[in-house]
Amino acid sequence: MVKIERKDTPKAQAAIASLKSEKVKPSGTYNTPEVNDALQEMFAHKCYLCEQKGLKSIQIEHLVPHHDDIDLKFDWNNIFLACTHCNNIKNDRFVPILDCTKTAVDEKIAFHQEGGGYEPIKLEFTALDSEPETQNTVKLLYEIYYGSTPQKVAEANMIRKDVETELEKSQKCVREYQESDGEDKKDAECLLRLSLKWNTPFAAFKHWIIRDYFPELTGYCH
């Protein structure tokens, strides 16, 4: 999870108007084309929880479970883009959690990876403060990336493999940057910056690799 700006774009404005219109209907829905389009734009087509990108299955997720509270149900600031895996796990069991549109989650939680290659990848999440939102988010992340039912364990295994593949690509960009010079270094720097952007898959893990092993490059994490 990384910080994602809730920008006031034309699609966001259309989504807010749609929610306002649906809110006064007896059987209004927040699942409108306008809301879906705006969420996919804002979250760069990736789940705000696990950070998978290019989702084949998307759901509208309420940060604070609405329990039919009409205001929470149609509040644009309470609506997020999630994959089915994460939405089913979070449900209403983890409250409250960090709001990634207001907080840089990867500055409150350490995202670490160990192993890989010939060893099974191991992901660890460490809360950097004792706030309930941070503690609950850590618990949620462990269940997202490891599962608690046979189906969710199988899904989590696939996500962790994707994490490993993406981190290998990012680390390759770091090596190429460090080993290049002249014009090649400028090209390598551009690729490195792109690999660490907030809208890439599993950006929180990438940012922590930089913090842990290449602190001189932390300015490229955004």
Side-chain angles (χ1 to χ4, degrees):
M1 295 173 73
V2 291
K3 192 156 193 295
I4 297 172
E5 186 177 354
R6 197 176 283 272
K7 295 181 179 179
D8 185 25
T9 66
K11 286 188 177 181
Q13 293 173 8
I16 293 170
S18 173
L19 289 168
K20 183 178 180 180
S21 175
E22 292 293 324
K23 183 178 179 179
V24 298
K25 295 179 181 178
S27 57
T29 177
Y30 53 81
N31 191 9
T32 67
E34 293 84 1
V35 171
N36 278 277
D37 286 347
L39 287 176
Q40 291 184 61
E41 175 189 55
M42 184 175 74
F43 289 96
H45 304 277
K46 73 174 187 176
C47 174
Y48 85 102
L49 292 168
C50 72
E51 289 200 89
Q52 289 186 91
K53 194 173 172 90
L55 302 176
K56 296 179 175 64
S57 176
I58 62 174
Q59 293 189 352
I60 294 175
E61 208 280 309
H62 289 80
L63 183 77
V64 180
H66 60 78
H67 297 301
D68 288 328
D69 180 308
I70 198 72
D71 292 323
L72 286 174
K73 189 175 183 178
F74 291 92
D75 181 0
W76 170 242
N77 293 313
N78 193 39
I79 291 177
F80 291 68
L81 185 72
C83 67
T84 303
H85 172 80
C86 290
N87 193 30
N88 289 347
I89 287 174
K90 177 179 174 288
N91 202 351
D92 59 357
R93 295 188 297 117
F94 298 90
V95 179
I97 66 168
L98 294 170
D99 182 345
C100 68
T101 66
K102 298 177 180 177
T103 302
V105 178
D106 60 330
E107 293 180 1
K108 295 179 76 68
I109 297 172
F111 290 71
H112 287 138
Q113 175 223 352
E114 296 180 3
Y118 296 105
E119 299 179 11
I121 187 174
K122 181 181 179 182
L123 304 180
E124 293 186 351
F125 311 94
T126 305
L128 302 180
D129 63 45
S130 58
E131 295 298 321
E133 292 88 348
T134 308
Q135 299 293 325
N136 286 336
T137 304
V138 166
K139 294 175 184 177
L140 172 58
L141 288 169
Y142 270 112
E143 189 156 335
I144 283 171
Y145 285 100
Y146 284 94
S148 60
T149 67
Q151 180 184 4
K152 292 304 177 187
V153 167
E155 293 173 358
N157 287 340
M158 291 187 283
I159 295 174
R160 291 201 308 278
K161 288 179 181 177
D162 289 341
V163 172
E164 182 176 6
T165 298
E166 188 66 23
L167 295 189
E168 287 174 353
K169 294 178 184 177
S170 184
Q171 290 177 67
K172 181 180 178 182
C173 288
V174 173
R175 290 194 300 271
E176 290 178 349
Y177 171 75
Q178 292 182 319
E179 295 169 1
S180 62
D181 53 28
E183 289 298 320
D184 289 341
K185 197 171 190 71
K186 292 181 180 179
D187 292 339
E189 179 184 357
C190 181
L191 291 174
L192 176 59
R193 287 184 180 276
L194 288 174
S195 76
L196 297 173
K197 284 180 69 67
W198 70 270
N199 58 5
T200 61
F202 314 117
F205 291 102
K206 297 176 186 177
H207 292 177
W208 271 94
I209 288 176
I210 298 298
R211 288 188 177 100
D212 286 337
Y213 301 107
F214 312 100
E216 71 278 8
L217 301 177
T218 52
Y220 295 165
C221 297
H222 55 87

